[in-house]
Amino acid sequence: MTLSPTEISTLLSILTEDASSGSSSFETLVNALHHHFGPNDYLRVGTSMLVLLQNPDLLSHQYQRISIYVLLFEMYRTQPFGKNPFAPVFLEIFKNPSSQSKIHMVSPAEKLFIYQLITSTAFTKELQKKTPKQVMASDVNPNKVYDISMVQSDIEKYHISSEISRSGIQNVISDPDPDKSSSLDHHAAQEVIEQLICSPNPPAEESFQPPFVRLAPPLHESENEMIWLNPPNSHFKIEWDHVMCAENTKEVELRQLMSKAFKGPLTLTQQQQLLNELDKDPKLVYHVGLSPVKLPDLVENNPLVAIEVLLKMIQSTQITEYYSVLVSMEMSLHSMEVVNRLTTAVELPREFIHLYISNCITKCETIQDKYIQSRLVRLVCVFLQSLIRNKIINIQDILIEVQGFCLEFSSVREAAALFRLLRNVESHEGDKSNQPKT
């Protein structure tokens, strides 16, 4: 299944946006990808970008190449790198540069950036803030040697290709030395890309491969050769597996405890038993009856259990659904406690944290009861101070919204303290930016 012409147009618009200057950060590029495409589209999107890598004459600017590598990595960032279906593409970059693979067209600066990308534990904020222009302008030793043994072994565990497939060559070959004066314009290049990807039999997906030829095996000259068609022994005994379909006792107990946790606070003993069993076998978290719909009840009644359960589900494909429910649920001390603990334990999506902060502020502004309003404002202020002091959020991203919140509730002592903290952080960052560079 390939991309449609409309989807290809969207993908090219993401890659060509500000491509001439290369001044947009990779973070902006990644956000655009997630806005237009979902996880179910990633394989199709990645395959289409691979076609562009293999046909560099269709790329309008060199900055697009490093952007494609970033997107190929980002789409499967939450999984082990070896499971990324495009991991072998990254490995090609570090092979013998004397080979004729088009993947080796990357510059030394690009190679260093890609090495940092695939060997780090995550797409770090430092790498996200960079722009293609900054990467290409880096001064890197072209003879630098990279140790990719660990990455290579991880890839080889999940990607096995036959000698036949590795011997194939593409049946679409780009111009090895295109004349710049006659290069394709944007619209012509897009037409060629659509023909390569969207046609009924996309030529980009086919290759010339040597036929797999082997001799026919000789007949087994034996009178018992076909005995398996008519087995001589027709008496069989059924062996019954007595543990088959038997219910796991631990799972039953954990489901019962979790059912109680949805309805009310667990005792300290029950809570410890539940957490101990989940520590012994983290996969049990998927069999205890938790669903996104039940998460708010668990947060309100047993916030510590909710924190541990969510941490064990970080790698789950459903984790974004749990995040969405956590953001939209009724604001309370327990929900703030869960969010605060999660932000200090793992790197949550920035848009999730910002949305939660906005919902908290909106809740404080719309509530009618002055006593409850004052109490919630104090909770939100303490929560925001914790996020700022632990450097979990970028103060510039929420400065205007939070300053307005502090001014609106300036009569509350905690709001005044939060406002002073904002001013101190802002002035401190201003002093840093004004310091002369050495």
Side-chain angles (χ1 to χ4, degrees):
M1 187 70 179
T2 58
L3 294 181
S4 65
T6 303
E7 291 172 321
I8 288 178
S9 179
T10 301
L11 176 60
L12 292 177
S13 68
I14 295 173
L15 293 173
T16 56
E17 183 178 0
D18 204 19
S20 60
S21 63
S23 57
S24 294
S25 67
F26 292 120
E27 183 179 31
T28 302
L29 182 75
V30 165
N31 289 338
L33 172 76
H34 293 316
H35 176 73
H36 292 286
F37 298 101
N40 293 334
D41 304 318
Y42 287 166
L43 186 60
R44 298 185 297 124
V45 172
T47 303
S48 299
M49 289 193 292
L50 184 58
V51 172
L52 296 179
L53 280 182
Q54 294 170 336
N55 297 273
D57 53 339
L58 296 178
L59 296 175
S60 60
H61 202 278
Q62 60 177 346
Y63 294 139
Q64 291 178 324
R65 185 172 59 234
I66 190 64
S67 297
I68 288 176
Y69 281 114
V70 168
L71 294 183
L72 288 177
F73 177 83
E74 168 65 23
M75 289 189 296
Y76 298 92
R77 177 168 56 88
T78 58
Q79 301 180 16
F81 180 68
K83 288 189 176 182
N84 186 325
F86 303 101
V89 177
F90 292 89
L91 191 59
E92 280 289 314
I93 299 172
F94 300 96
K95 287 187 175 180
N96 184 2
S98 63
S99 67
Q100 298 302 312
S101 172
K102 296 169 187 174
I103 301 299
H104 296 120
M105 295 178 64
V106 297
S107 64
E110 290 174 282
K111 184 180 288 190
L112 174 61
F113 178 81
I114 294 169
Y115 179 76
Q116 294 171 339
L117 192 69
I118 65 177
T119 55
S120 61
T121 55
F123 192 14
T124 62
K125 291 183 178 180
E126 182 182 356
L127 295 180
Q128 292 180 30
K129 295 296 183 183
K130 287 190 176 184
T131 66
K133 186 175 182 179
Q134 291 173 336
V135 171
M136 301 294 285
S138 302
D139 186 14
V140 180
N141 180 6
N143 298 319
K144 182 177 177 61
V145 178
Y146 299 94
D147 180 15
I148 59 167
S149 55
M150 292 296 294
V151 176
Q152 186 171 2
S153 62
D154 191 28
I155 292 174
E156 289 173 351
K157 283 194 300 185
Y158 301 102
H159 298 270
I160 301 175
S161 57
S162 67
E163 294 293 337
I164 294 295
S165 63
R166 280 183 278 180
S167 301
I169 62 172
Q170 285 185 285
N171 59 4
V172 176
I173 302 176
S174 58
D175 188 347
D177 187 19
D179 183 359
K180 294 182 180 179
S181 62
S182 61
S183 59
L184 294 175
D185 59 29
H186 173 71
H187 296 292
Q190 183 167 339
E191 288 182 9
V192 174
I193 292 170
E194 289 180 5
Q195 291 175 3
L196 287 176
I197 299 174
C198 300
S199 60
N201 296 308
E205 293 185 2
E206 300 176 359
S207 65
F208 291 114
Q209 295 181 2
F212 182 46
V213 180
R214 61 177 180 177
L215 296 174
L219 291 177
H220 184 198
E221 298 178 0
S222 170
E223 60 180 9
N224 296 324
E225 181 181 3
M226 308 296 286
I227 195 172
W228 56 271
L229 288 176
N230 298 291
N233 185 7
S234 59
H235 302 286
F236 302 99
K237 179 182 178 182
I238 296 177
E239 293 289 342
W240 182 256
D241 184 0
H242 295 281
V243 299
M244 184 176 61
C245 299
E247 201 160 24
N248 188 317
T249 307
K250 291 295 181 184
E251 287 188 19
V252 175
E253 292 179 2
L254 289 182
R255 280 201 296 270
Q256 292 173 347
L257 283 176
M258 189 62 77
S259 180
K260 292 180 181 179
F262 296 143
K263 299 174 183 177
L266 297 177
T267 65
L268 186 59
T269 303
Q270 291 173 329
Q271 188 179 108
Q272 199 60 46
Q273 179 187 356
L274 177 58
L275 296 180
N276 287 342
E277 293 299 333
L278 290 178
D279 286 338
K280 292 178 184 177
D281 186 1
K283 292 183 179 180
L284 284 176
V285 74
Y286 301 106
H287 306 286
V288 293
L290 179 63
S291 65
V293 177
K294 296 180 180 178
L295 181 61
D297 293 332
L298 183 62
V299 170
E300 289 303 322
N301 291 310
N302 294 277
L304 293 180
V305 174
I307 292 168
E308 294 301 322
V309 167
L310 288 174
L311 288 176
K312 287 177 172 56
M313 298 184 70
I314 287 296
Q315 300 300 327
S316 168
T317 56
Q318 276 191 307
I319 192 63
T320 53
E321 296 182 35
Y322 287 96
Y323 286 161
S324 300
V325 171
L326 192 58
V327 166
S328 59
M329 69 175 287
E330 190 73 17
M331 187 191 79
S332 66
L333 174 61
H334 285 172
S335 70
M336 284 188 183
E337 179 184 1
V338 171
V339 173
N340 193 36
R341 286 284 298 277
L342 286 176
T343 55
T344 56
V346 296
E347 186 176 354
L348 295 181
R350 192 169 66 173
E351 60 272 15
F352 160 73
I353 301 177
H354 291 173
L355 181 56
Y356 185 75
I357 292 172
S358 298
N359 288 348
C360 288
I361 291 176
T362 302
K363 177 66 175 179
C364 292
E365 292 172 344
T366 56
I367 196 167
Q368 300 298 319
D369 190 307
K370 295 298 182 183
Y371 173 77
I372 297 178
Q373 184 184 56
S374 178
R375 182 172 178 270
L376 292 179
V377 168
R378 289 198 296 271
L379 287 176
V380 173
C381 291
V382 173
F383 171 66
L384 289 174
Q385 289 182 52
S386 173
L387 293 181
I388 294 171
R389 288 196 173 98
N390 291 324
K391 297 182 179 180
I392 292 170
I393 55 175
N394 185 351
I395 190 64
Q396 297 301 326
D397 294 339
I398 62 167
L399 183 61
I400 297 176
E401 186 177 13
V402 176
Q403 278 186 341
F405 171 74
C406 294
L407 293 174
E408 182 176 355
F409 298 101
S410 57
S411 59
V412 179
R413 183 178 59 186
E414 286 79 3
L418 175 59
F419 186 78
R420 288 194 297 272
L421 177 62
L422 289 173
R423 297 297 297 273
N424 290 338
V425 173
E426 187 179 11
S427 61
H428 181 66
E429 291 182 352
D431 293 340
K432 277 188 175 182
S433 63
N434 293 328
Q435 288 180 357
K437 296 182 179 179
T438 58

